[in-house]
Amino acid sequence: MIVMKFGGSSVANADRIRHVAEIIKKFSSKRPVVVLSAMGDTTDDLLSAADQALSGVISLEAVEKLHKTTAQELGISPKDVDDLLGELRTLLTGISMLREVTPRSKDYLVSFGERLSVRLMAGYLSSQGVRAEFRDAWDIGFLSDSNYVNADLLPATWENIRNRLGAYAAGKAGDGMAMPIVTGFIAKDEKGFITTLGRGGSDLTATIIGAALRADEVQTWKDVDGILTTDPRIVKEARPVPIATYDEVAELAYFGAQVLHPRSMQPCLQTGTPVRVKNSYNVDAPGSIIVTRHETTPSPVRAITSKKGVTLIDIVSTRMLGQYGFLAKVFDSFADHSISVDVVATSEVSLSLTVDSKKANFAGLRHDLEKYASIDIRKDKSIVTIICDVRRSSAILAASFAALAREGVNVQMISQGASKVNISFICDSDESDDVVRLLHDCYFGKGGLCDGESASV
Ligand code: ADP
Ligand code: ASP
Ligand code: MG
């Protein structure tokens, strides 16, 4: 059996839904479990409707029109969609009256996006003679913690999925069980409240289903020809990476590439279930395959990614650096303020690290660290990460520094990840896109470090 996940752009309107239904039909003999995101920009629209409701305005027209029109254009009964839209309007009215939206009510609100899209797809597939049934994720056992907005799935989810879908997956359900069309992104906690798995979380929904059911593969269908050598919005010549490992993709996602959810590799890493990234707009393109390890020597660099808006902190303590317990003390201070660190580099006299600016209470942290070190906090930085084989870091760094020096780019920190797959540079945010372009050309351009190699991996 296989899992087929379609992102928002793949199901953005009635035409796209018809097209995706054709793709699903082609794979119907493989007993697919289908996972869907919300249509197009629905999640963003719902979040901005919540913001508007805070100032007393109920703005739901775009979401209502999209789903009602789509049901009509697909020629299916509007009943399921209308019921949900009614509940959604009631919720927004509540928010607008209270002028308050908690993380928990935000999750309840955005869950409507995925719940609407699966009803439309299941309705349409049924109208085409495919036995399909929509399933809200909690109905097939998706159980999470109560960390609303970015919840983690509980281990019980694995067994629950097997209990609910095992017979279908094994082909033992005979004609008795319809193809499940499952909501991505959402779950329920142990108290029964709706949670979400973080933006882009439908990828994780798909990979945990695939891993739990030991699927032959998990297909994630997007609007690009696979995992690309960098963000195509920065470098339009970015090209598909044919094969990557779970570790490489996890780092790529963690360091900013939107293409897959940062935690989505974890389930398949445990079971070795292959994940394929395909383009629903270009079905014949081979896409990318994500596996445990490279069987042949791959090119030195897999991809480049960047994460803007980070803060660089230099901690200097000639008195304590290198002394027993110093690093523990520093990291305790970060933990006390719930600030997680992305990249670290140490030298003889200083420790440099980066943190995500949006989430940090710098005043409290500075106060604590200044008790034993001098601190320099610099905002508006960017981490540019090279996903590569760090065993070949000398060649990669030599080529990178030559290119950066030629263009006069000042790299403020460099760190080689312990994971063996990443090297990160820190630069100013406003230089970040140029650095990515420069490095992409240096590795993947004509005569570059990986020219002619990446196709052979
Ligand atoms: P979906 O909604 O189908 O999950 P996303 O929009 O979340 O799709 O992710 C796909 C988008 O990620 C692409 O359209 C592309 O703009 C962006 N992206 C950024 N970096 C990469 C990369 N390295 N490879 C592929 N896509 C990338
Ligand atoms: N709809 C959610 C989002 O936009 C989840 C997803 O698309 O994976 O983030
Ligand atoms: Mg996504």
Side-chain angles (χ1 to χ4, degrees), residues 347-363:
S347 77
E348 191 79 16
V349 292
S350 74
L351 170 67
S352 299
L353 24 83
T354 64
V355 301
D356 193 333
S357 307
K358 292 186 281 295
K359 298 170 198 154
N361 164 14
F362 291 114

Side-chain angles (χ1 to χ4, degrees), residues 63-196:
V63 171
E64 285 176 336
K65 183 161 179 262
L66 175 67
H67 292 88
K68 281 173 186 283
T69 317
T70 304
Q72 201 174 29
E73 287 176 11
L74 293 175
I76 58 176
S77 156
K79 167 95 176 55
D80 287 335
V81 166
D82 284 346
D83 287 353
L84 274 186
L85 288 173
E87 188 185 334
L88 172 57
R89 189 164 269 277
T90 307
L91 172 63
L92 263 191
T93 310
I95 293 173
S96 73
M97 286 165 79
L98 291 170
R99 307 272 170 119
E100 181 187 66
V101 58
T102 61
R104 192 171 90 194
S105 43
K106 210 176 239 183
D107 278 357
Y108 177 24
L109 183 79
V110 292
S111 75
F112 283 91
E114 272 68 11
R115 290 197 278 160
L116 285 161
S117 67
V118 294
R119 282 155 175 81
L120 288 167
M121 181 64 84
Y124 180 67
L125 281 169
S126 303
S127 77
Q128 299 301 297
V130 179
R131 277 180 45 73
E133 211 168 60
F134 70 82
R135 308 294 287 266
D136 292 325
W138 43 83
D139 293 333
I140 58 160
F142 273 73
L143 191 67
S144 77
D145 61 20
S146 301
N147 186 17
Y148 300 106
V149 182
N150 194 16
D152 246 333
L153 292 168
L154 299 181
T157 304
W158 289 71
E159 192 56 35
N160 294 347
I161 293 170
R162 278 196 286 271
N163 287 338
R164 313 289 161 81
L165 298 184
Y168 170 83
K172 289 189 185 139
D175 287 331
M177 196 169 167
M179 183 192 297
I181 315 291
V182 182
T183 54
F185 183 48
I186 60 178
K188 274 188 181 173
D189 65 10
E190 285 175 308
K191 289 171 270 182
F193 293 115
I194 295 176
T195 59
T196 62

Side-chain angles (χ1 to χ4, degrees), residues 5 7-8 203 221-224 226-228 230-233 252 257-259:
K5 177 256 166 177
D203 297 320
W221 292 81
K222 301 188 177 265
D223 60 350
V224 277
I227 293 169
L228 304 178
T230 194
D231 189 333
R233 293 164 296 188
L252 187 69
Q258 189 191 327
V259 63

